[in-house]
Amino acid sequence: MATIRDVAREAGVSIATISRVFNASARVSEDTTSRVREVAERMGYWPNGAARSLITKRTNAIGVLLPDLYGEFFSEVIRGIDLTARREGYHLVVSSSHADSNELLTALQTVRGRIDGLIVMAPDLADSAPFDESALRFPIVLVNPGFTTTRCASVSTDNVTGARAMVRHLAALGHREIAFIGGPPSNLDARQRQQGYHEALAELGLPATPGLEVTGSFTESSGFEATRELLSRTRRLGAIFCANDCMAVGAMSALRQAGLRVPDDVALAGFDDISIASYLTPRLSSVRVEASRLGERAVQLLLGCLARVAAPGPRQPMPHEILPTSLVVRESSGATPDRVMQTANGSAVPSS
């Protein structure tokens, strides 16, 4: 295996120059950097990460802490994190934790010292204390956190506005009996989407009927069972709005099994606009969340926090961003794109 001395000798430069090249120092010319990297690749040399981090005080690794989450949406968030991190020269250290304080503390201790910063997806967590303590040691960015904290940066989805837009869309088509299949009450996204549903009903003067609300768990099977429960309560359903697309898939199956047609008998809509939404029959109307963008912004915020930590001067306030959602209308809600109303956060997205 080639050593740093072998590469320096072959490239005709000093050992210090080799070190500067792999530490991305601006003191090395572009020609020299290219020559050194070509020689290193040809000789199969790569610097020892542990030794390099002792010099740079950086690991060039980002930690990602995930709760026990389900579905394509979270895969897209991770994809956005991974692509952006690799583009910026970082690799990921991924750990999982359930919504339990003891498990969370164990996970935080596991990644400590191995990463430069941490991204945490925390929609089911309500306690900021473990993060507040850890944020004193390295930067932390929270994705859709279920709590507020001034010590960590965060990026979230505008769930309330998105849910309000979908309910207004369904009401504009003449529906007055709009049922809602929600997610777990412990989940912030679920609570905010339910909040948007209630706010829209109030704005439109529509009754909030407890019998038209059922709780699911963001899975297809829970959407199926929730729809069967709704049908057992009433046959006067005009529309069903599901708090995510996975539950809408289950709802569509339950309606079909009951002999009801979508959208002729019951209109149907979801939330997240995962890829399968445009391949269902009929295609699913949904609230689009740019899940990959959510992961991308989390990495960008974390890198910004790392730069602020390294910069001299007083500590700057942590940034908190809310990414917009948009309405995507397809056949399942019974409307065509030209009948889409303007949403509070911009024009609706055409059917795709």
Side-chain angles (χ1 to χ4, degrees):
M1 182 178 294
T3 68
I4 190 172
R5 295 181 184 276
D6 298 330
V7 175
R9 183 166 50 251
E10 182 71 15
V13 297
S14 68
I15 293 175
T17 297
I18 302 296
S19 178
R20 293 189 190 104
V21 167
F22 283 98
N23 290 328
S25 173
R27 296 169 56 189
V28 183
S29 70
E30 186 175 334
D31 288 344
T32 301
T33 297
S34 298
R35 185 169 76 254
V36 167
R37 289 193 176 276
E38 186 277 325
V39 170
E41 183 175 355
R42 174 159 46 85
M43 300 182 70
Y45 169 78
W46 189 254
N48 180 279
R52 183 171 154 196
S53 62
L54 288 173
I55 299 171
T56 64
K57 307 302 181 183
R58 290 285 179 91
T59 66
N60 284 97
I62 291 174
V64 182
L65 184 58
L66 308 172
D68 185 16
L69 297 172
Y70 174 91
E72 181 184 329
F73 173 80
F74 297 103
S75 299
E76 278 295 296
V77 176
I78 291 299
R79 188 173 73 89
I81 292 174
D82 183 48
L83 290 175
T84 309
R86 282 192 286 162
R87 188 168 61 242
E88 298 294 337
Y90 284 80
H91 61 272
L92 302 183
V93 176
V94 181
S95 181
S96 63
S97 168
H98 298 278
D100 177 88
S101 296
N102 292 330
E103 290 185 1
L104 176 62
L105 287 172
T106 300
L108 288 172
Q109 291 167 357
T110 299
V111 298
R112 187 176 297 168
R114 301 166 56 195
I115 58 174
D116 295 330
L118 180 66
I119 295 172
V120 183
M121 297 174 67
D124 289 300
L125 300 172
D127 185 11
S128 68
F131 299 103
D132 290 339
E133 179 185 352
S134 296
L136 298 174
R137 297 176 174 84
F138 50 76
I140 295 177
V141 171
L142 304 170
V143 179
N144 285 353
F147 53 84
T148 58
T149 174
T150 59
R151 293 186 179 178
C152 304
S154 68
V155 57
S156 303
T157 300
D158 193 354
N159 290 301
V160 175
T161 301
R164 287 169 58 188
M166 182 56 79
V167 174
R168 288 199 302 269
H169 164 65
L170 294 170
L173 297 174
H175 298 297
R176 293 296 177 266
E177 301 282 340
I178 303 174
F180 182 73
I181 300 178
S186 62
N187 184 282
L188 176 69
D189 293 325
R191 296 197 304 272
Q192 290 180 339
R193 293 171 189 185
Q194 185 175 38
Q195 176 187 340
Y197 166 76
H198 286 153
E199 288 183 3
L201 291 180
E203 291 168 2
L204 296 165
L206 299 178
T209 307
L212 292 180
E213 293 186 51
V214 182
T215 299
S217 61
F218 283 153
T219 63
E220 291 91 343
S221 60
S222 71
F224 182 90
E225 293 301 330
T227 301
R228 292 184 62 182
E229 182 174 345
L230 285 170
L231 293 174
S232 71
R233 296 177 181 179
T234 178
R235 301 289 292 191
R236 296 184 56 195
L237 286 175
I240 300 176
F241 176 29
C242 300
N244 81 339
D245 290 344
C246 290
M247 293 194 297
V249 171
M252 186 176 291
S253 178
L255 290 170
R256 185 176 293 115
Q257 188 178 94
L260 297 172
R261 296 167 298 169
V262 176
D264 299 333
D265 298 317
V266 180
L268 182 64
F271 206 113
D272 291 334
D273 193 33
I274 61 178
S275 62
I276 197 175
S278 60
Y279 293 98
L280 296 173
T281 304
R283 298 183 304 164
L284 183 67
S285 293
S286 187
V287 178
R288 177 170 295 170
V289 177
E290 299 290 351
S292 179
R293 175 66 175 160
L294 197 64
E296 178 183 3
R297 282 304 300 151
V299 175
Q300 291 169 344
L301 286 174
L302 186 61
L303 296 181
C305 292
L306 285 168
R308 280 192 293 274
V309 168
R315 184 170 180 173
Q316 299 297 314
M318 291 292 102
H320 303 280
E321 293 187 6
I322 299 178
L323 300 186
T325 56
S326 53
L327 193 64
V328 181
V329 172
R330 301 186 179 98
E331 292 87 350
S332 74
S333 61
T336 54
D338 60 336
R339 295 181 63 188
V340 179
M341 51 186 289
Q342 297 293 305
T343 67
N345 60 332
S347 299
V349 177
S351 171
S352 60

